[in-house]
Amino acid sequence: MIKLFCVYLLISFSSTFEFIFKPGPLVPASKGEIWPKPQQEDKLDERFFSILPTFFYFNSIGNRCNTLTEALNRYRKLIIFNNRHIKEIYYKARSCYEGGDSNFLGYLTSIEVDLTGVCNDEEYPSFEMKEEYVVNVTSTVQRISSDTIWGILRGLETFSQLIYLSDDYSCHRIETTVIHDYPRFAHRGLLLDTSRHYIPKKSILKLIETMSYNKFNVFHWHITDDYSFPYVSKTFPQMSDKGAFHPTLMTYDQNFVNEVQEYARKRGIRVLAEFDTPGHTLSWGLGNPDLLTACHNVPQLEWGPINPIKNTTYEFIFKLFEEIKSTYKDQYTHLGGDEVDFSCWKSNPEINQWMAENGIVGDYIALQSYYIQKLINYVDSLGLNSIVWEEVFTNGVTLPKSTVVNVWISDDPKTTLKQVTEAGHPTIISSYWYLDILKTGGDWLKFYNADPQDFDGTEEQKKLVLGGEACMWSEVVNEYNLESRVWPRASVAAERFWSPPDDPKTEQNMAELWPVASRLQEQTCRMNRRGVEAQPPSGPSVCF
Amino acid sequence: MIKLFCVYLLISFSSTFEFIFKPGPLVPASKGEIWPKPQQEDKLDERFFSILPTFFYFNSIGNRCNTLTEALNRYRKLIIFNNRHIKEIYYKARSCYEGGDSNFLGYLTSIEVDLTGVCNDEEYPSFEMKEEYVVNVTSTVQRISSDTIWGILRGLETFSQLIYLSDDYSCHRIETTVIHDYPRFAHRGLLLDTSRHYIPKKSILKLIETMSYNKFNVFHWHITDDYSFPYVSKTFPQMSDKGAFHPTLMTYDQNFVNEVQEYARKRGIRVLAEFDTPGHTLSWGLGNPDLLTACHNVPQLEWGPINPIKNTTYEFIFKLFEEIKSTYKDQYTHLGGDEVDFSCWKSNPEINQWMAENGIVGDYIALQSYYIQKLINYVDSLGLNSIVWEEVFTNGVTLPKSTVVNVWISDDPKTTLKQVTEAGHPTIISSYWYLDILKTGGDWLKFYNADPQDFDGTEEQKKLVLGGEACMWSEVVNEYNLESRVWPRASVAAERFWSPPDDPKTEQNMAELWPVASRLQEQTCRMNRRGVEAQPPSGPSVCF
């Protein structure tokens, strides 16, 4: 009855690839393929080890610290408890017996973990973090090695993904391979909006854990917006007392913010806080009524953006950003700046009088610039790097060259990227990876085919692309559909940010699409096995 | 960043309704409104009772049986454990103290349940079931009454929905009201496809339980299809041994089929089994290789529909339907018949030879008719009523008048409905309520605005509309996203099937849309409170 979908696939299969329409899963999962695809993998031959999960351990031969120990424990559990959700398979594969297969190299009971550089539990991941690593699984050497703890974390994920279940579900196997891997982009983000719906704490932590399965390294926390202010400020507790959906049940206090950062640090993930101003701040007005611009006869609006002409505004904002500086560990902070609606500013007599007195009569972009420049300068003085949404740049606000411009509007991102990088700004692009927009199925091909550096510009301009972000705006998600809406579609963005560029795939060329779809199916099953409610990416399927 | 959505709403609010864009939920939930909307509700005045959940019980004053007792226990738990997922609110509302409100009528400790007709635990719900009931909550009478157990079940659901949490979360209240209610349509179905993904048993039972919260009364179980055959046949166990995604972990055995029917019976829900033939049967060929038509040089197909020229085909199919008759309790069975692809029949020399010998050379519709008529006649001889997908009718297969035609194609359902009912067939319509098709958000307005009887026809023709079905084809859902994809969007279909017709709503007329949206938000929160992972229907929201 929705055969339309299948018929469509059927037609599209026809060009180059002898696809036979059969019972069973439409796209069977690959076995032991890595997601995101490594920069370099040399599969040596058909030989393989088997793993008896309960007899497997990591042999740490390099530098150590708690971060490493905890990571080894985490990945040991992921390996031991592989397939635990299907008891019959779990127990069968624990007592795997390999017969006389000539490719069988023996049971792999351990792998060396060699952290050659310093392991420092005080160090937070940063924009400059190095994530390069090597994984060797050969008949003579089995080792994960890296100069950095971040590289080891990525290598552990890769190693855990090499393990697959044999066709008869009886053994966990791992084939001989050598992987040398590092990310294409330094900034690989997932944005979560916790204002339009309150997202429970455990869902946020689980999202971050799942990010690590996909080698994301930036959790972009869009923590406040028009609808609610769930952040419990030390300096201004009334902001969440009045502005959250509930003052205690639906807030994130300092302990939790610290917990998130520590949890993310252990997984090599940065926490990028966004306190979006001067628009998207209606909920801020509940805790600080002086902060917003009163609208005068504007349809449907009583309050507008932050009032940029009052000294009290800056006293408040500067104190808030002082707190942000002391609370959040990352070198970067996201200042927002998107979608500032000028209608209330236009309607407000005091604002217009002030603008006349300051020689910018009628120029509301200049007023926005006035606000955002004061904010950027202050944030700069705190020693933080700023990221802003693209309108701040496209509206012509004068910005320091170091300010990162986050391109998000989907109309013509390539032109914007060209302009932003021509002006010398580093950039992060989100336009292509909006997770809230969904059709019937997995909707992942468009995510796969978008490339952050695909715009008209010089090599120098291309280098200014720091990376990209997938965005989970929460108008349409809460704790109940968050996980299935994010995964595995965000995984596809993650591959685009980590892996080498790839030619666009089409449903008309199944021969090329198929290997990607099979790996994505395996990554989906892998997340399901680890307890993540990832939805099916490509039609009828089955996971073991 | 997805403000587009909000801006859009903002614009659409502007016509007739003074909507102010504010922090907090976009559409606050109503309080104690019923979903689906009852045929008749007279809210008497502002007076209310409060309920101390742990001191509340049902006082059964009429006929009794186990079905009733179990239902009372079920609803007592739903009332007692209201809000249990938020402990702070749960405990607060358990010790509710009402102050000096002049509208406070006292604490309601019980409600009478008066089943005036026979209560028979052996009786299954049927197409003829009566579901009419009355709920009285006045200062003098508090009673749920009905002639039938099915009416009592609907009344219990309605009563439980009247209870709401006071604004300060301190008390569960219920306002005085008199409700006289009955369904607009006798057939109010939800289709679940368990072939394209295996849906775990507990998910099926939970779906049925949630159907009862929405007064659905038919679980249409599309149990097999091309991808897998999960039904464990007593007569032909090889069908699931070979045709299921896994022969033991991913099948539905007889015990489970019986459990589903018993579970559904207790909730006044019929189980309508569909074994779709002669197309959509690729997985059938794994267990019975003789059954399907071999394709001769058809691109991408080795096997086609069931082979209708072999005697062995009918031996198999007739035995299978004998088993279906003995396994499933409902008077109706769904024979499928949709999307039969003729290419394999066309390619097959034996088929063409047989057609020549039987005087229907080149007429594949006649071949399809030959098959489906034999099947319908046999099913008829078993004493079962048949339902078929619309192509069986539109292809011109001669059908008994009693055969129900299930209209599903979305191109022009009104013309099809006109033709089907002109021909005197009863009909069920699914075209408008395809749950797999989804845009960004709740996508429910189109479901609300579709009306089963909106086509060009006489009163007699309109009466042939038995009802409708919402369809959850499972190309894109499995256990992980099923619940949020179905709810609350299927609830909207449920209201269309139960409640009086309503004028179409638009986003341009918020004054009319708002009351529906608020009730739907309350129904969503209610399902969330009961542990159902319903997704947000209308943008930023909060549930307590």
Side-chain angles (χ1 to χ4, degrees), chain B residues 290-304:
Chain B
D290 286 340
L291 195 62
L292 303 187
T293 308
C295 311
H296 292 244
N297 300 314
V298 177
Q300 295 152 357
L301 284 176
E302 290 172 348
W303 297 100

Side-chain angles (χ1 to χ4, degrees), chain A residues 1-2 197 438 473 475 541, chain B residues 1-2 197 438 473 475 541:
Chain A
M1 321 310 337
I2 190 187
H197 283 99
L438 179 69
W473 299 103
E475 278 89 347
S541 68
Chain B
M1 321 308 337
I2 190 188
H197 283 97
L438 179 68
W473 300 104
E475 279 87 347
S541 68

Side-chain angles (χ1 to χ4, degrees), chain A residues 36-182:
Chain A
K37 197 175 175 62
Q39 298 288 339
Q40 202 182 318
E41 174 167 18
D42 299 313
K43 297 197 180 188
L44 303 179
D45 48 40
E46 303 284 298
R47 291 188 297 171
F48 64 87
F49 294 96
S50 284
I51 289 184
L52 297 168
T54 42
F55 292 100
F56 182 81
Y57 67 100
F58 292 104
N59 177 18
S60 175
I61 61 170
N63 291 318
R64 298 181 200 186
C65 61
N66 285 338
T67 308
L68 179 65
T69 309
E70 289 189 26
L72 298 183
N73 286 338
R74 222 163 46 235
Y75 277 97
R76 182 150 183 267
K77 277 188 193 155
L78 286 179
I79 291 167
I80 289 180
F81 295 132
N82 223 340
N83 302 103
R84 189 166 55 163
H85 66 310
I86 308 181
K87 285 204 183 84
E88 291 81 347
I89 288 175
Y90 175 61
Y91 286 110
K92 190 171 176 188
R94 274 162 67 116
S95 51
C96 148
Y97 171 73
E98 294 284 2
D101 192 318
S102 61
N103 286 319
F104 176 52
L105 284 169
Y107 295 98
L108 187 70
T109 55
S110 72
I111 185 165
E112 294 173 348
V113 176
D114 190 7
L115 170 50
T116 51
V118 177
C119 196
N120 175 3
D121 289 323
E122 308 299 313
E123 188 191 349
Y124 276 81
S126 70
F127 178 74
E128 289 79 18
M129 67 200 284
K130 300 290 173 220
E131 299 167 271
E132 189 171 358
Y133 69 92
V134 171
V135 172
N136 272 284
V137 179
T138 72
S139 57
T140 52
V141 180
Q142 301 93 38
R143 187 182 302 141
I144 302 166
S145 48
S146 174
D147 281 346
T148 65
I149 180 67
W150 319 124
I152 293 290
L153 292 173
R154 304 301 171 238
L156 284 167
E157 179 57 39
T158 289
F159 172 75
S160 74
Q161 295 192 4
L162 288 170
I163 301 165
Y164 66 91
L165 200 60
S166 61
D167 286 336
D168 64 355
Y169 320 127
S170 71
C171 290
H172 289 109
R173 289 182 178 173
I174 183 165
E175 289 178 13
T176 52
T177 191
V178 176
I179 294 171
H180 175 206
D181 199 15
Y182 49 88

